[in-house]
């Protein structure tokens, strides 16, 4: 019943503007990927634990609870995805190491579905580290992340990143992501099912890709 919230305190070289990088030295021991927990459905939050991610690049971590009770954390690094595990609800974490999931330096998305399967949304094939942020794809695991099945392409274009989403009670999966944030400046949405993922293509009648959610049309730099 606990709610887990990933919170990062970034390394000092990520602080901006640069004039502030000498501030808050007392927090340096807390610069890591944290886990905050609410036991009252979000009314209050408290830090439970955290882990330092070597070669971290903003962390952008996510967690799922495995069937054996452990928490599995994945985080963004310069080389791809790092992972760590906790056996005590997030208080203590194993030393982070490189995941077997190949990925470029970008955020991925991880979620336990109602069926018990784990959904992974990443860039490229399951064993691929793409050169660009492209080929956003979804995969399913039935063995707690040890192997992955299917692979439906959500958006093959370059400049797609930051997937996030949820599963509707009717089983549909909703994923939003951005596309060319500095040029097209679009937020898009994909709606699909587990059946689509396993088939490697859209087979459910209500599934749809590349739906426009928002497009920024303001002129950069113009004062209102």
């Amino acid at each position: 019943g606990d709610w887990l919230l990933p919170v990062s305190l970034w390394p000092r070289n990520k602080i901006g503007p640069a004039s502030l990088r000498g501030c808050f030295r007392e927090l340096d021991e807390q610069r890591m990927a944290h886990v905050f927990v609410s036991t009252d459905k979000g009314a209050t939050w408290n830090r439970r634990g955290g882990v330092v991610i070597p070669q971290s690049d903003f962390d952008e971590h996510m967690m799922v609870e495995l069937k054996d009770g452990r928490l599995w954390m994945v985080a963004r690094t310069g080389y791809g995805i790092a992972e760590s595990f906790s056996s005590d609800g997030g208080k203590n974490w194993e030393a982070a190491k490189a995941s077997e999931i190949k990925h470029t330096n970008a955020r991925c998305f991880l979620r336990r579905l109602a069926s018990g399967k784990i959904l992974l949304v990443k860039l490229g094939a399951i064993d691929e580290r793409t050169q660009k942020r492209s080929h956003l794809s979804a995969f399913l695991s039935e063995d707690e992340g040890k192997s992955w099945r299917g692979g439906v392409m959500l958006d093959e274009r370059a400049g797609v990143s930051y997937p996030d989403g949820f599963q509707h009670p009717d089983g549909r999966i909703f994923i939003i992501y951005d596309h060319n944030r500095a040029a097209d400046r679009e937020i898009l949405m994909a709606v699909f099912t587990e059946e689509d993922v396993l088939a490697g293509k859209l087979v459910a009648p209500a599934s749809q890709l590349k739906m426009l959610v928002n497009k920024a049309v303001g002129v950069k730099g113009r004062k209102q």
Side-chain angles (χ1 to χ4, degrees):
D2 291 353
W3 291 6
L4 304 184
L5 178 68
V7 177
S8 283
L9 190 59
W10 294 338
R12 186 162 292 282
N13 65 351
K14 300 294 186 186
I15 297 175
S19 60
L20 298 178
R21 289 181 183 169
C23 301
F24 305 110
R25 293 283 182 183
E26 69 276 13
L27 297 177
D28 284 354
E29 292 185 0
Q30 299 297 317
R31 298 192 182 280
M32 64 180 74
H34 298 276
V35 180
F36 277 67
V37 177
S38 175
T39 59
D40 51 16
K41 297 184 178 180
T44 60
W45 295 88
N46 293 285
R47 181 185 181 276
R48 181 169 287 179
V51 59
V52 175
I53 308 292
Q55 299 182 54
S56 165
D57 202 4
F58 301 106
D59 293 333
E60 295 171 355
H61 51 302
M62 297 199 73
M63 297 159 285
V64 295
E65 184 177 14
L66 301 177
K67 292 179 180 178
D68 62 10
R70 292 180 302 157
L71 296 178
W72 177 28
M73 177 193 292
V74 295
R76 171 186 169 184
T77 73
Y79 59 80
I81 297 175
E83 65 181 8
S84 181
F85 297 88
S86 172
S87 299
D88 57 6
K91 294 179 183 178
N92 296 285
W93 292 85
E94 297 176 6
K97 62 180 182 180
S99 169
E100 292 185 0
I101 302 171
K102 304 301 181 183
H103 206 239
T104 192
N105 181 354
R107 185 182 188 271
C108 66
F109 177 76
L110 200 66
R111 170 79 57 154
R112 173 80 68 181
L113 300 177
S115 65
K117 300 182 182 70
I118 296 177
L119 170 72
L120 171 67
V121 180
K122 67 176 293 289
L123 300 170
I126 197 64
D127 58 352
E128 179 184 14
R129 188 180 195 272
T130 58
Q131 295 299 309
K132 299 179 180 180
R133 292 182 173 184
S134 66
H135 297 84
L136 188 68
S137 305
F139 303 87
L140 291 173
S141 177
E142 298 178 350
D143 57 8
E144 302 298 271
K146 296 181 179 66
S147 64
W148 299 92
R149 297 182 59 197
V152 63
M153 184 78 68
L154 306 182
D155 199 322
E156 77 286 354
R157 297 172 296 178
V160 290
S161 58
Y162 285 91
D164 212 327
F166 71 99
Q167 185 178 32
H168 191 277
D170 66 11
R172 289 180 298 159
I173 299 164
F174 290 71
I175 295 293
I176 60 170
Y177 59 96
D178 66 32
H179 171 243
N180 280 343
R181 68 183 69 167
D184 295 285
R185 296 181 286 181
E186 294 176 337
I187 303 296
L188 301 174
M189 181 170 67
V191 181
F192 56 96
T193 66
E194 292 183 36
E195 184 183 13
D196 297 326
V197 178
L198 295 176
K201 60 182 180 180
L202 299 190
V203 294
S207 297
Q208 190 173 349
L209 304 179
K210 300 178 183 176
M211 290 183 283
L212 184 65
V213 174
N214 186 71
K215 182 178 180 68
V217 295
V219 178
K220 187 175 181 180
R222 176 181 292 176
K223 294 182 179 180
Q224 300 296 323

